[in-house]
Amino acid sequence: MTTPSKMQQLDVQRIRADFPVLDVEVRPGVPLVYLDSTATSQKPVSVIEAMNNYYRTQNANIHRGVHALAEKSTADYEAVRGKVAKFIGAAKGKQIIFTRNTTESINLVAFTWGRANLNKGDVVVLTEMEHHGNLVPWQMLATEKGIQLEFIPVGEDGLLDMDAYAVLMEKKPKLVSFTQMSNVLGTITPAAEIIRMAHDAGAVTLMDAAQGVPHLPTDVTELDVDFIAFSSHKMLGPTGLGILYGKEAILNEMPPFLGGGDMIKRVELSGFTYKEPPHKFEAGTPAIAEVIGLGAAIDYLEAIGMEAIFAHDHELTGYALERLEEVPGVWVFGPTIEHKSANAAFTFEGVHPHDVAEILNRAGVAVRAGHHCAQPVHQKFGITSTTRASFYLYNTKEEVDQLIEALYQVKEIFG
Ligand code: C6P
């Protein structure tokens, strides 16, 4: 990773002007301090306008009509595939499959590649810090097929135990599926090393990039990863749209996921044949306006640069960690700043995380409280929930200061 101090500073005030929701007052006189981008990011005007413009001027179904609007919509939709590919360093647009979200992308792999390639007794390696989206699909498959799930342990330091991982590789797993960045601990996992070791052991790799792609420069070709899954809504794009990247040879071999219109070549009453990837995985009318919106989101991120965005998020997270340490009773989970970015999940001694979030809300500070769809990692640390503040390119140190001020109010109220 590039050292943050070497990075060019973002013009955050200029960026903030592009995000209308940041001007909202949650109550009269109480401006919004949005520290919940790990749940979903805010959208710049260019994304909102791209979708608005699509509906106002060109709305049509794709891959079907021959009329002008249908052709333009088809071309624009397909062009975004290429844009996504370039953004993540993939060789070809056809390696990009549009789904509903990260969760559906991982389910797609589990129930196509997984069903076709995993058999009773086969080992699948996950980590103890996975989001339920990269855990439950494999648990479902374990029930169905009798595969064996193994987990790379998370240490007290919030890092993966790579020695234990090396030992797990002796079991010759068929798949290693891991998060690029934890949504609770903020841990940036050593993705390149995990993938290299998995390949040495003969395993296929899947990276849950739901938090990684929005915050870290990500190059699938350099990583040599087999699949990655991520969500448009966490990277300034609209909800309802996920992305699955896969290596071409693997996608070609995989059976289709959902059946229906647009994924078929030919249908007779006695059966069907299906198209090549990516279309074989995209049954039914897709999220066309959302794909157009994602294209605008990628343009926005690229104009700023992912290195600069990473540097900003990282610096802000480091500042937040320092300031949170000052607050008596606050305990932040996860590794030191060298290995983490974009979020800080914490407990407040004697106060339930939901109560903390509620008091913060009164001050206009939007954070998430709960298990963040990652119960096992909370269990690992002997807790059931945390309050989580998360940061993105439009957040400022002043907003972190407002969070800290509001935490002192929590202290005052709860004693
Ligand atoms: N985490 C959070 O508040 P979906 O919901 O499918 O777009 O993304 C699922 C997902 C998968 N992996 C990781 C690492 C994630 O962080 C998420 C989504 C949000 O932490 C919503 S639960």
Side-chain angles (χ1 to χ4, degrees):
M1 279 295 154
T2 316
T3 317
S5 57
K6 286 191 192 145
M7 300 304 312
Q8 197 195 337
Q9 293 265 311
L10 295 193
D11 186 347
V12 180
Q13 288 315 322
R14 225 176 118 186
I15 289 171
R16 286 179 71 81
D18 293 331
F19 290 79
V21 79
L22 298 179
D23 288 335
V24 161
E25 291 188 341
V26 290
R27 279 175 299 289
V30 182
L32 170 70
V33 176
Y34 189 76
L35 300 181
D36 198 18
S37 294
T38 292
T40 199
S41 67
Q42 295 301 349
K43 323 300 172 198
V45 166
S46 59
V47 169
I48 299 165
E49 285 305 314
M51 294 175 71
N52 191 359
N53 185 53
Y54 167 80
Y55 280 125
R56 292 178 82 102
T57 65
Q58 69 175 94
N59 177 49
N61 211 330
I62 57 165
H63 301 149
R64 289 158 171 86
V66 290
H67 57 83
L69 294 193
E71 284 189 349
K72 175 156 176 46
S73 292
T74 301
D76 287 357
Y77 176 92
E78 289 301 331
V80 175
R81 232 189 267 284
K83 204 174 263 190
V84 175
K86 185 170 153 280
F87 185 65
I88 60 166
K92 296 177 185 169
K94 66 181 182 183
Q95 294 174 279
I96 303 301
I97 296 151
F98 291 123
T99 62
R100 282 189 308 141
N101 45 41
T102 303
T103 304
E104 186 173 290
S105 296
I106 296 172
N107 275 268
L108 190 162
V109 177
F111 294 108
T112 61
W113 180 88
R115 272 200 186 123
N117 291 282
L118 298 176
N119 295 306
K120 192 171 165 49
D122 283 344
V123 173
V124 168
V125 171
L126 310 172
T127 85
E128 287 181 341
M129 62 170 79
E130 293 314 310
H131 184 278
H132 299 164
N134 191 31
L135 174 60
V136 179
W138 306 111
Q139 290 174 328
M140 289 164 75
L141 205 62
T143 307
E144 182 184 314
K145 304 266 298 190
I147 59 173
Q148 188 189 329
L149 303 183
E150 298 282 352
F151 298 91
I152 313 175
V154 179
E156 283 287 310
D157 55 5
L159 300 177
L160 293 177
D161 180 341
M162 293 300 281
D163 292 335
Y165 178 52
V167 175
L168 283 176
M169 290 301 94
E170 289 168 15
K171 290 180 185 266
K172 297 286 170 215
K174 286 275 176 67
L175 175 75
V176 174
S177 190
F178 69 98
T179 190
Q180 186 181 11
M181 184 163 146
S182 162
N183 65 321
V184 177
L185 305 175
T187 311
I188 301 166
T189 59
E193 198 183 344
I194 293 172
I195 293 160
R196 184 182 49 73
M197 287 167 69
H199 285 166
D200 286 349
V204 165
T205 51
L206 188 159
M207 186 166 81
D208 173 352
Q211 299 301 338
V213 162
H215 293 279
L216 311 171
T218 303
D219 187 315
V220 291
T221 304
E222 214 173 274
L223 285 170
D224 194 30
V225 64
D226 298 293
F227 295 109
I228 78 166
F230 55 106
S231 295
S232 151
H233 71 96
K234 294 188 196 289
M235 51 187 287
L236 312 185
T239 52
L241 176 63
I243 301 97
L244 174 69
Y245 156 85
K247 279 190 183 159
E248 200 176 356
I250 305 181
L251 292 178
N252 285 340
E253 288 296 311
M254 274 160 55
F257 182 38
L258 304 174
D262 214 25
M263 52 76 77
I264 52 87
K265 253 186 200 158
R266 185 179 168 85
V267 180
E268 288 167 20
L269 289 180
S270 57
F272 71 99
T273 55
Y274 48 79
K275 288 182 181 158
E276 302 298 313
H279 305 294
K280 99 173 156 190
F281 300 109
E282 293 180 8
T285 301
I288 307 165
E290 286 74 10
V291 167
I292 306 284
L294 174 64
I298 290 176
D299 288 342
Y300 193 91
L301 291 170
E302 280 187 331
I304 294 170
M306 289 309 296
E307 294 277 352
I309 291 170
F310 166 70
H312 170 81
D313 296 347
H314 191 253
E315 190 184 331
L316 204 53
T317 310
Y319 179 69
L321 294 187
E322 275 170 29
R323 296 259 18 228
L324 283 165
E325 242 177 51
E326 293 167 12
V327 186
V330 166
W331 180 261
V332 183
F333 291 82
T336 51
I337 189 62
E338 293 75 39
H339 301 284
K340 120 176 216 153
S341 194
N343 77 57
F346 57 91
T347 51
F348 199 120
E349 201 180 351
V351 191
H352 193 281
H354 281 114
D355 292 333
V356 175
E358 179 43 37
I359 305 295
L360 297 186
N361 180 46
R362 287 186 206 168
V365 180
V367 295
R368 185 175 170 187
H371 53 63
H372 316 299
C373 301
Q375 287 185 334
V377 76
H378 283 84
Q379 288 154 8
K380 178 81 187 185
F381 286 93
I383 49 175
T384 52
S385 56
T386 47
T387 307
R388 184 187 67 192
S390 51
F391 316 103
Y392 209 4
L393 70 170
Y394 36 67
N395 290 123
T396 63
K397 286 190 175 165
E398 290 69 34
E399 288 181 306
V400 172
D401 293 339
Q402 282 168 287
L403 162 72
I404 302 299
E405 234 171 77
L407 283 173
Y408 279 107
Q409 286 168 29
V410 174
K411 188 145 183 58
E412 246 170 55
I413 292 166
F414 286 90

